[in-house]
Amino acid sequence: MKPTYNVKLVIPILLAGILAGMLAGCSGGADSGAASPAPGARLAMGGAPPTSWTSVKWAGGGYVTGLTYHPTTAGLMYARTDIGGAYRWNNSNGSWTPITDGIGFNSGESRYHGVESIGLDPANDQLVYLVAGMYTKDGGGNPANGRIYASSNRGNTWTHYDLPFPVGGNEGGRAIGERLKLDPTNPSTMFYASRTAGLWKSTNSGQTWTQTSLSSTVLTGAQIQAIGAVKGVEQIMFDNSNVGGGATTWIMYAAVAPDYGQVAGLTSTLYKSVNGGFSWTPVSVPSTVSGYYVPHMVRTGDGAYYVVFNKNAGEGAGGPGYLYKFGGVSGNESWTQLSSITTGGGYGGVSVSGTGSTARIALAVTGTWSSAGPVVQLSDNGGSTWREIAGGMVHYGGQFWGWIDDIEIDPANRDHIMHVTGGGVWETWNASSATPSWDFPNNNLEETATLAIVTPPAGAPYKFVNSAGDIGTWVQTDLATTPNRGPLSDWNNGNYADVLWSDPSYIVGSGINHGTSTVFGFWSGDSGVSWSNFATLPAGAAANHGATGSIATTSRNNVIWAPANSVPSYTTNNGASWTATNLPAPAAPGWDNGYRLVVDRKNPTKVYAYDSGGAFWGPAGKVYVSTDGGHNFTLSQGSVSANLAPNAYRLTSIAVNPNVEGDIWLTDGDTVYHSTNSGTSWTKLNGFASIAGTSMTEKVQGASTIALGKAQTGAPYSAAIYVVGTRNGVWGIYQSDDGGATWTRYNDDTHQYGGIEVMAGDWNTYGRIYFSGTGRGLIYTN
């Protein structure tokens, strides 16, 4: 499942930059100031740019909120996710192609990796549209409008247009829909069922929009805040299955969520238009489901509608739930109940193949928490009788129950059925069997959200330690295989971790168990094969669950832990007891904040602590230095003189060069700083700067993340440096092989990933970095 507090419901992470610097060992000097080269061009000492960008294997890991088949082209399907963009299905090999990694999805556009709806042109299988925006309000509580993206090549490239209404692809009820619908006979006409501003219409393929009379009510930021995750007008359905021809479809239906309907003064769950959306009249629904949500509805070729009603709306929402068949044609607007669930869950998605008494209906049972089911109910006689085809059946993979909020029967093969979960997609190819088997087709669909990553020294028996939202902490030994070394297999967050440089088999970390809402700290002495929890927690850890903190180890049994919003503490007995350091409490500007701790790998008696200020309105950032293994710290007056910009924790970073004592690099969100004397003085690197956006969530940071890795052979500096940021107005990853004297853009416009969040360099292979895109799992370069 996706996180309930940490990864998904925060201000979208904004990233940036890259900046320039000094040769190692110099205490002064200026950056070269050279203009940023075109992608692929290299400056002095630069190696070749990456030729491959590959997903580290997890498989799934996040909430796929909807599946959309093309109605006439066999095997063509798209998946949308709440924070990780969209994917196109490759039917030939059972894999996915991410289609929102490139232009239009850079750092300042990270919130558009939340995809709320996908629309396909039934007359042209090259055309695809997606509506994106993670939240209906920004960090200040004001409405945040979304975008529509249009592609004429199945998502390989995009053009986008701003929308006049908010979009909430990562808000409650995000599997409802599809909200975007194209008129099947005149696809340049499209409608959008918005959460907070009624129903909208475009007659030019999404370039401009006008509000229809259903409804003219636009919720204010205060109303949105009061209601919560508004569901709004949930979806529309055309009373027409013809493809092409250019004529307008006059008759259509719209489902309205009760949360919006009450504020907008609407009197029914369902409305009908007979004039192409110009005016609308309420349709009576069965009294049993009055005031219910409509998660999904479908229309079959004979003009019948199959409508799911559920008491609640949201991820894995509980019931009661009902499935009704609705006449919908020739004035026949009668309702027939086909199925119901009153205990143990609700109904989410529905899909229908065929018509009438021989129709195959797949019904998603959501909000149940047992592998025994019910999970997917199937009828082969138009809803007269039902059988369970997922609960209790063979599954080749992990959890398949819970958030079963959308389901689709393949239009070209009724035995092929796919459904979503909070952790990816499941499918069966033998739905007609009395005991269908299911597999987990998530090859190259990676929607995990990494919160921290640490790489060990060269020669360690693993690649890195990944701390991630919802899936926890894992030691990755093989980039092409889902890892199996972690301290907790239950639903949990891994917040941060560290490895002992002199003995990387010793790993420490912290996370939160979502099931019990408790923080835990842990350690392994055998590279993650076995784990133990710290016997006690330091002050502040139990109350602060967030990932805005850090942990560091100087030797076995000696650990410093900085919980979010807390004074760091240290242990000399592997967590049996903790003692507070003399550090002041981190700045508290209203957002979660904490210290970033890093150990000097060359001299582990030195530990550095960085407080970023916590927010752009907070105090200036500061660095503190310990020379007794992280027990006592002294403020670096050089960091005070440097006047480090205040910024949110996630927009800043600090890293050490393990090959040289006292060699520290820092990004404060706006630029890069370098110290060669253990933080006594700092040199600001010139040439890079943030780009202001229309809001703070669209600001492109000048320098947000820095990482060091194995040096190029013959390079004058002992580590390759990688910075996420903006140089001469161009955002990306930048690399330097000469200690920051010259820089080259390392990625290109097709590899942007909705912004790049955390990053680490590999110490075995020059040029290899590991990083996370916005909800895109971990990526590594060759």
Side-chain angles (χ1 to χ4, degrees), residues 81-147:
T81 74
D82 50 4
I83 65 168
Y87 293 79
R88 185 180 64 244
W89 174 249
N90 303 313
N91 202 48
S92 61
N93 61 5
S95 69
W96 298 89
T97 297
I99 57 175
T100 49
D101 286 349
I103 293 174
F105 302 94
N106 73 8
S107 175
E109 299 164 313
S110 60
R111 68 189 183 97
Y112 301 112
H113 251 209
V115 181
E116 189 172 66
S117 191
I118 290 179
L120 305 181
D121 188 322
N124 183 345
D125 66 8
Q126 296 297 307
L127 295 179
V128 58
Y129 303 86
L130 61 85
V131 174
M134 284 194 189
Y135 305 99
T136 53
K137 54 186 182 296
D138 62 18
N142 302 306
N145 291 347
R147 280 180 179 173

Side-chain angles (χ1 to χ4, degrees), residues 402-536:
W403 291 5
I404 317 301
D405 296 317
D406 187 30
I407 193 165
E408 300 295 334
I409 302 174
D410 187 338
N413 180 356
R414 70 200 306 258
D415 267 354
H416 181 209
I417 298 177
M418 305 185 83
H419 71 76
V420 307
T421 69
V425 180
W426 284 92
E427 70 175 351
T428 181
W429 288 89
N430 59 343
S432 294
S433 168
T435 56
S437 57
W438 295 78
D439 57 31
F440 195 56
N442 290 267
N443 184 25
N444 208 38
L445 195 159
E446 299 287 345
E447 204 209 344
T448 57
T450 290
L451 303 176
I453 182 172
V454 58
T455 48
Y462 56 91
K463 305 295 185 182
F464 54 78
V465 181
N466 175 19
S467 303
D470 284 349
I471 65 170
T473 300
W474 295 95
V475 176
Q476 194 94 27
T477 58
D478 184 342
L479 300 177
T481 303
T482 301
N484 58 13
R485 295 186 185 181
L488 184 65
S489 59
D490 294 341
W491 181 34
N492 74 103
N493 271 16
N495 284 342
Y496 34 77
D498 192 26
V499 302
L500 181 59
W501 206 252
S502 60
D503 178 9
S505 63
Y506 185 70
I507 303 168
V508 296
S510 172
I512 172 174
N513 185 327
H514 290 314
T516 60
S517 297
T518 56
V519 171
F520 63 105
F522 49 83
W523 64 277
S524 173
D526 52 15
S527 301
V529 175
S530 62
W531 299 85
S532 298
N533 286 351
F534 293 135
T536 63

Side-chain angles (χ1 to χ4, degrees), residues 123 166 208 214 290 294 382 393 402 458 506 524 548 557 579 588 636 691:
T208 59
L214 184 75
S290 178
V294 179
M393 305 300 166
Y506 185 70
S524 173
T548 55
N557 304 320
T579 303
S636 161
I691 303 173

Side-chain angles (χ1 to χ4, degrees), residues 319-343:
Y322 295 85
L323 174 66
Y324 278 87
K325 183 178 179 180
F326 174 60
V329 292
S330 303
N332 176 15
E333 294 184 345
S334 61
W335 297 88
T336 301
Q337 182 179 320
L338 300 180
S339 183
S340 67
I341 182 170
T342 57
T343 59

Side-chain angles (χ1 to χ4, degrees), residues 60 106 120 143 248 347 387 402 469 479 483 509 515 526 541 547 580 673 690 710 744:
N106 73 8
L120 305 181
T248 296
Y347 284 156
R387 62 188 176 93
L479 300 177
D526 52 15
Y673 290 83
S690 299
K710 183 178 180 179
T744 304

Side-chain angles (χ1 to χ4, degrees), residues 56 449-456 462-468 473-476 479 494-499 596 598 601 649 654 705-708 756-763 769-772 777-780:
V56 176
T450 290
L451 303 176
I453 182 172
V454 58
T455 48
Y462 56 91
K463 305 295 185 182
F464 54 78
V465 181
N466 175 19
S467 303
T473 300
W474 295 95
V475 176
Q476 194 94 27
L479 300 177
N495 284 342
Y496 34 77
D498 192 26
V499 302
R596 291 187 181 274
V598 290
R601 306 300 198 184
Y649 177 94
I654 186 170
T705 306
I706 190 164
L708 278 64
I756 292 169
E757 301 173 6
V758 302
M759 179 172 61
D762 189 276
W763 293 99
I769 54 174
Y770 307 97
F771 62 89
S772 70
L778 281 169
I779 313 292
Y780 69 96

